[in-house]
Amino acid sequence: MTLRGTPNAPRSLQGLRVVDFTTMIAGPYCTRCLADSGAEVIKVEEPGGDFMRNFAPLREGQSAYFGTFNGGKKSVELDLKSPAGLLNARALIDSADVVVENFRPGVMKRFGLDYETVARSNPRLIYCAISGYGQDGPGADSPAYAHVIHARSGFDHAWMGYQDPPRRPANSAIFFADVLAAIYGFSAILTALYQRTQTGQGQFIDVALLECMLGMLPYEVQAAQFPALTPRPVYPPVRTSDGFLMLAPVSPRTVEGMLSAVELTGWREDSRFATASARLVHWAEMMALVQEWTATRTMAECEAVFIRHGVPVSRYKSVAEALSDEVLDHRQSMQAVEDAAGRFLVPNLPYVMSAATVQVGAAVPTLGQHNEEFFPDKNHPEPE
């Protein structure tokens, strides 16, 4: 057995067909999770292709960003505004186990491809719609991207409150809400597929990015209802002589390990640090004393001492440095994928299974590459 599964092991979702009406990140990553698990995922692209195909970083006109979310899928190019395009889309849906879409609510209904309509001919269909605020109710029609959701959910405000000083919300460029929605959508689809084995019936799944972000804030949600009397510990970057470390002394045991590691004399008798409750009150003072010790030593020296005392620690790495991390190498975390410009690496899903293969497909489809496979009838060519 290799780490990524037994050689020639089956994929868990082998035999499932997914029709993918998605773009950007949340929807495509959700369907890539399904493809990585063995489902046949048919990506429906508008004439000219998903606009994400033009997103940097580009190599010879090919987007590695697009490839990250669409490796292992099949591509068909359909014009949903044409009768032929709708006919072909409907045929795909009728043959599918799962549909995933992330249009603004109401768009699929205007095409006649909404769940209520297509479930009449395919009652076993699992239909997942991903949107900013849900499919109905206040704000459902409002445009929403991940960074707007970060602001509206309270995430950015909470994050700002942990900075020193908390002057303004942080700039936004990493789309947490999209990735969370993808994983929640994937989980819900798997749950619905299991339920279908019991009932024989499909169902509609409504995933809202706003709710996904609340799942990132379990402490903050409770503190908003029941304000804490003692501030929450904040874990600042700790300066060394040649860079910064992140320490995570989260439990009483790891805090005590940290204080022992920095040789803070008499801390067990010091009323500020002798108990867990006192440390919370004097947390900033404690971390300042820790930094006095680390500032005169290198990152490597500090890491070795903290690890020896059981304290979770890491130096700050760039993404480029992280890609060569020995843990990721051991876990075969990065997978080579190929498009028209050549090979590049994308992250596999972050789990392995002992009796199944889970990894991203080896190829990114060209636009409309599989039209002939699914629409051989020349009466309905796509696109014109």
Side-chain angles (χ1 to χ4, degrees):
M1 187 183 84
T2 68
L3 186 64
R4 286 283 156 184
T6 304
N8 303 316
R11 298 201 179 205
S12 302
L13 301 184
Q14 213 163 314
L16 283 176
R17 172 171 285 185
V18 178
V19 183
D20 175 358
F21 294 92
T22 71
T23 187
M24 293 301 291
I25 298 173
Y29 191 32
C30 175
T31 53
R32 206 208 90 182
C33 292
L34 294 164
D36 287 8
S37 303
E40 177 190 45
V41 177
I42 306 164
K43 182 176 178 66
V44 177
E45 302 189 57
E46 64 184 357
D50 185 339
F51 70 93
M52 287 285 287
R53 286 185 178 271
N54 300 313
F55 271 43
L58 295 165
R59 308 110 55 245
E60 299 178 22
Q62 303 296 313
S63 170
Y65 197 31
F66 173 87
T68 294
F69 301 115
N70 293 286
K73 301 179 185 179
K74 298 179 177 180
S75 169
V76 296
E77 188 179 11
L78 296 180
D79 183 0
L80 298 182
K81 297 178 182 178
S82 75
L86 281 176
L87 184 64
N88 287 330
R90 184 62 185 266
L92 285 178
I93 292 172
D94 283 345
S95 71
D97 296 283
V98 177
V99 163
V100 183
E101 62 96 353
N102 65 344
F103 289 113
R104 198 181 298 188
V107 171
M108 290 294 273
K109 185 174 182 64
R110 289 197 292 274
F111 287 135
L113 301 177
D114 56 297
Y115 174 71
E116 289 75 12
T117 300
V118 299
R120 293 177 196 141
S121 56
N122 187 359
R124 288 174 53 81
L125 182 69
I126 308 299
Y127 192 116
C128 180
I130 300 173
S131 64
Y133 308 116
Q135 294 298 300
D136 54 30
D141 294 332
S142 300
Y145 287 115
H147 40 296
V148 174
I149 298 295
H150 298 168
R152 184 164 179 171
S153 67
F155 175 85
D156 281 342
H157 192 274
W159 192 258
M160 178 181 67
Y162 297 135
Q163 308 313 307
D164 185 19
R167 290 196 181 119
R168 63 188 291 273
N171 295 340
S172 183
I174 299 175
F175 301 149
F176 302 108
D178 282 332
V179 175
L180 282 171
I183 301 304
Y184 280 124
F186 178 50
S187 300
I189 289 166
L190 297 182
T191 304
L193 285 168
Y194 178 77
Q195 185 176 343
R196 192 178 72 175
T197 67
Q198 314 298 308
T199 66
Q201 294 295 308
Q203 62 182 296
F204 182 74
I205 299 167
D206 177 355
V207 178
L209 271 68
L210 184 63
E211 290 180 293
C212 293
M213 284 306 296
L214 286 181
M216 288 277 284
L217 302 168
Y219 173 87
E220 291 76 12
V221 166
Q222 297 309 316
Q225 301 172 78
F226 314 105
L229 299 178
T230 304
R232 189 183 191 190
V234 175
Y235 303 92
V238 176
R239 185 182 296 278
T240 71
S241 63
D242 60 349
F244 289 91
L245 296 176
M246 172 50 67
L247 296 171
V250 175
S251 68
R253 184 172 181 176
T254 53
V255 172
E256 291 169 8
M258 178 183 68
L259 295 175
S260 296
V262 303
E263 302 169 338
L264 187 60
T265 305
W267 69 263
R268 293 183 188 278
E269 292 75 39
D270 190 321
S271 61
R272 296 173 299 168
F273 311 131
T275 66
S277 58
R279 291 172 207 143
L280 287 177
V281 174
H282 299 282
W283 187 267
E285 296 170 64
M286 181 178 69
M287 295 308 294
L289 291 171
V290 170
Q291 184 163 259
E292 286 182 11
W293 183 87
T294 61
T296 61
R297 293 165 173 81
T298 67
M299 288 188 291
E301 290 175 308
C302 293
E303 278 189 300
V305 173
F306 285 128
I307 289 171
R308 191 162 64 246
H309 284 81
V311 183
V313 60
S314 176
R315 68 189 68 190
Y316 284 80
K317 293 185 176 184
S318 69
V319 174
E321 290 171 327
L323 291 180
S324 61
D325 193 297
E326 61 185 2
V327 173
L328 299 183
D329 182 58
H330 170 73
R331 289 182 59 80
Q332 301 167 20
S333 301
M334 303 302 294
Q335 176 75 24
V337 172
E338 188 165 1
D339 63 12
R343 289 159 61 92
F344 59 100
L345 297 175
V346 304
N348 274 313
L349 295 182
Y351 55 85
V352 295
M353 299 174 68
S354 65
T357 299
V358 184
Q359 64 183 37
V360 64
V364 178
T366 57
L367 175 61
Q369 179 179 344
H370 301 92
N371 274 56
E372 183 61 29
E373 175 182 345
F374 295 106
F375 316 121
D377 183 354
K378 300 303 181 182
N379 290 324
H380 303 292
E382 283 289 340
E384 302 216 351

